[in-house]
Amino acid sequence: MSSDADVDPSEYEGLEDADVTMRVNDHGLHIADDEATGVSSQGQTPAEALENLAEAVETYREATSDESDDDWL
């Protein structure tokens, strides 16, 4: 993870082995990017951005998994 923040993405379920980049935008929001999936999220604090990213990555993985057996798509 590249960041000057004092947070560790490995503490969040689903981000244990993730390559996460943290940045702050022009409005002061903390942005967390998961390099492997391309998923990004934001928060008022680095911890909030990582918490939101963990949830977004989980949703992404559920949506892209091929375990649904839905043949109608």
Side-chain angles (χ1 to χ4, degrees):
M1 177 178 112
S2 63
S3 173
D4 55 1
D6 243 358
V7 291
D8 184 2
S10 67
E11 296 176 5
Y12 295 85
E13 186 175 338
L15 299 179
E16 294 88 349
D17 297 320
D19 182 15
V20 176
T21 303
M22 297 287 296
R23 56 195 163 91
V24 178
N25 71 10
D26 294 340
H27 304 287
L29 287 173
H30 296 266
I31 311 296
D33 303 303
D34 178 34
E35 300 300 323
T37 62
V39 173
S40 297
S41 196
Q42 66 185 22
Q44 295 294 325
T45 65
E48 185 178 307
L50 283 172
E51 183 177 331
N52 292 339
L53 180 64
E55 184 175 332
V57 167
E58 179 183 354
T59 301
Y60 171 85
R61 289 184 177 145
E62 288 173 0
T64 58
S65 73
D66 193 21
E67 299 177 12
S68 67
D69 294 330
D70 286 340
D71 294 332
W72 62 274
L73 293 177

